[in-house]
């Protein structure tokens, strides 16, 4: 038996949100260093798909493999292979940024290294590390959410509309970060409507009628939304 070397393999995934089925026979593959974009109208199932890929929700059927490892059979695979940035803020507001990070970086030496020269430094987090989360702007909270998702340096980053409601400077900073992550052969799956983020995508999919369909990655504006 030959073990696949694709970073992500999703086959015939079916999923529901409550009693409502929102995914039907969804399949998706990605290699190292690829950025997969997923677009579609609100409520079409994009967030449910990423939640399942992150191990937050369980699918009704289908298969999820990360680098040939069956994540549904061994849920440790989700934790080791994926970093997840949901739309909702996952931070504890009463704690400082540093204390939030400590919950996800149990090794103090690793955290110190990331703050000094790693992705946490690239994200600019040392500048507000001692600030309570409750006093952060939306952009700062998003940066910290990215930092938490990157604990352990997972090879797959799952991003659910990461730039929603952020200012132009923060959106550009996130795009710059993603470029670096992809250059280092990280794999990204992103739901977005931001054209600057769509330009990073190796392939582009539309979620419609519970299924994914690949479209020309150069589609923009009305040509793209007409596929919704």
């Amino acid at each position: 038996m030959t073990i696949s070397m694709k970073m992500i393999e999703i086959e015939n995934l079916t999923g529901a949100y409550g009693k409502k089925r929102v995914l039907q026979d969804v399949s998706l593959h990605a290699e190292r260093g690829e950025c997969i974009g997923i677009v579609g109208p609100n409520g079409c199932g994009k967030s449910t798909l990423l939640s399942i890929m992150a191990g937050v929700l369980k699918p009704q059927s289908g298969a999820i493999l990360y680098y040939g490892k069956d994540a549904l059979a061994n849920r440790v695979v989700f934790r080791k292979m994926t970093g997840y940035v949901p739309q909702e803020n996952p931070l504890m507001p009463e704690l400082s940024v540093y204390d939030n990070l400590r919950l996800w970086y149990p090794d103090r030496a690793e955290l110190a290294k990331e703050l000094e020269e790693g992705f946490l430094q690239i994200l600019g987090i040392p500048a507000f590390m001692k600030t309570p989360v409750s006093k952060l702007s939306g952009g700062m909270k998003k940066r910290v959410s990215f930092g938490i998702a990157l604990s352990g340096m997972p090879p797959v980053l799952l991003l659910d509309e990461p730039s929603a409601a952020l200012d132009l400077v923060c959106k550009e900073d996130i795009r710059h970060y993603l470029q670096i992550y992809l250059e280092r052969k990280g794999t990204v799956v992103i739901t977005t409507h931001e054209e600057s983020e769509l330009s990073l995508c190796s392939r582009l999919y539309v979620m419609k009628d519970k299924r994914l369909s690949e479209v020309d990655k150069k589609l923009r504006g009305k040509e793209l939304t007409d596929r919704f």
Side-chain angles (χ1 to χ4, degrees):
M1 179 178 177
T2 301
I3 298 177
S4 171
M5 287 293 106
K6 292 184 185 298
M7 183 55 69
I8 302 172
E9 289 183 277
I10 295 175
E11 296 289 350
N12 304 122
L13 201 68
T14 297
Y17 190 78
K19 294 183 179 180
K20 181 182 178 182
R21 178 170 290 183
V22 293
L23 303 175
Q24 182 68 51
D25 295 327
V26 169
S27 295
L28 177 69
H29 301 163
E31 305 282 357
R32 291 182 64 206
E34 278 198 300
C35 180
I36 306 300
I38 301 175
V39 299
N42 292 336
C44 70
K46 304 186 302 294
S47 294
T48 300
L49 174 59
L50 261 63
S51 293
I52 291 174
M53 292 178 65
V56 176
L57 298 178
K58 292 183 179 181
Q60 294 175 318
S61 61
I64 303 175
L65 278 73
Y66 288 111
Y67 214 51
K69 299 176 181 178
D70 187 341
L72 296 176
N74 181 4
R75 297 187 61 80
V76 173
V77 174
F78 285 117
R79 187 177 73 247
K80 290 185 175 181
M81 299 296 289
T82 68
Y84 177 42
V85 180
Q87 291 186 45
E88 301 81 11
N89 174 15
L91 308 175
M92 299 185 69
E94 69 275 14
L95 298 182
S96 69
V97 169
Y98 180 77
D99 287 338
N100 268 273
L101 291 171
R102 281 284 292 123
L103 295 174
W104 296 89
Y105 288 81
D107 186 331
R108 287 178 181 269
E110 177 193 358
L111 177 56
K113 183 177 180 180
E114 285 297 316
L115 286 166
E116 182 178 349
E117 59 184 36
F119 277 119
L120 296 182
Q121 194 279 329
I122 293 171
L123 289 166
I125 289 176
F128 50 90
M129 188 171 57
K130 296 181 180 180
T131 306
V133 165
S134 60
K135 295 184 178 181
L136 297 181
S137 67
M140 289 177 175
K141 290 177 182 176
K142 187 64 70 172
R143 292 169 191 259
V144 180
S145 295
F146 266 88
I148 285 173
L150 288 165
S151 61
M153 287 310 300
V156 176
L157 198 53
L158 306 172
L159 309 176
D160 195 359
E161 298 192 22
S163 295
L166 299 182
D167 61 41
L168 292 176
V169 173
C170 192
K171 288 178 181 180
E172 183 56 34
D173 286 344
I174 287 175
R175 184 180 183 280
H176 173 67
Y177 159 71
L178 290 177
Q179 285 180 312
I180 296 172
Y181 182 81
L182 290 166
E183 288 170 2
R184 297 185 183 182
K185 295 301 180 182
T187 301
V188 174
V189 179
I190 182 171
T191 70
T192 183
H193 296 293
E194 296 288 335
E195 292 198 356
S196 62
E197 291 170 348
L198 291 176
S199 67
L200 295 171
C201 296
S202 313
R203 286 180 285 130
L204 183 61
Y205 289 82
V206 169
M207 179 75 77
K208 182 179 180 181
D209 297 329
K210 306 181 183 67
R211 301 174 186 271
L212 279 183
S213 300
E214 187 170 1
V215 298
D216 186 341
K217 68 178 183 179
K218 296 180 181 180
L219 289 179
R220 297 292 185 271
K222 190 173 185 299
E223 285 187 314
L224 181 56
T225 57
D226 280 347
R227 306 295 183 96
F228 289 10

